[in-house]
Amino acid sequence: IRLAAKKGIVIRPGTPADFPVLVEMYRETAARDGFTIRPTDYYLDAWQTFYRDGLAQPLLAEYEAETVAGVLLVRSGPAVLYMYGASTDKERPRMPNHLLQWEAIRWAKAQGATTYDFWGAPDEFVETDRMWGVWRFKEGFNGQVVQTMGAWDYPARPRLFRLYTQTL
């Protein structure tokens, strides 16, 4: 965490004006990590609604005024959820995501949250799980695993849903 700051990473609160940059980084993250995402308007609409209602806060990591990573935090009662995270391949050795998560936790605490939910872990805690690297990063913050029913899509039109998820 301190290393990122020493290497020039700066964290700043974002605004809706930053949402297009966050979406583009999320798209880059999805391509790099191999997960499917929804159309841009989906995120812009959801994030703007959460932000307008005082439930969301974007935080951005920058190096020399260039955005290299970001998160969108969502408040729900006593918890803050790390709902979306994104990064570019630029400046990864500076470890912007470590400082970004630390500042997100600090922001959550300043809001009175008693829980910071990193949301998302492997289905099985084995190194072959595609989420293993994500888990190792989150584990470094010394959290505890709480298993829930997970996040699910309800395919109202199964054939169209299958086509959608296989073509994106």
Side-chain angles (χ1 to χ4, degrees), residues 51-82:
Y51 187 88
R52 182 189 64 234
D53 292 347
L55 299 173
Q57 178 61 56
L59 294 178
L60 301 169
E62 296 179 334
Y63 177 71
E64 296 183 346
E66 181 179 7
T67 304
V68 294
V71 297
L72 185 85
L73 308 172
V74 176
R75 291 186 323 175
S76 179
V80 167
L81 175 67
Y82 160 47

Side-chain angles (χ1 to χ4, degrees), residues 54-123:
L55 299 173
Q57 178 61 56
L59 294 178
L60 301 169
E62 296 179 334
Y63 177 71
E64 296 183 346
E66 181 179 7
T67 304
V68 294
V71 297
L72 185 85
L73 308 172
V74 176
R75 291 186 323 175
S76 179
V80 167
L81 175 67
Y82 160 47
M83 195 160 190
Y84 295 98
S87 63
T88 68
D89 284 330
K90 297 176 184 175
E91 308 304 336
R92 288 174 76 88
R94 295 179 189 281
M95 303 190 327
N97 292 313
H98 293 76
L99 183 57
L100 188 58
Q101 285 297 334
W102 179 248
E103 292 301 328
I105 292 166
R106 291 183 63 211
W107 181 86
K109 190 170 182 171
Q111 303 305 305
T114 56
T115 301
Y116 182 79
D117 188 342
F118 269 102
W119 196 31
D123 291 325

Side-chain angles (χ1 to χ4, degrees), residues 21-33:
V21 171
L22 194 54
V23 169
E24 285 310 308
M25 284 192 303
Y26 194 56
R27 193 168 301 290
E28 183 176 333
T29 302
R32 182 180 60 239
D33 294 347

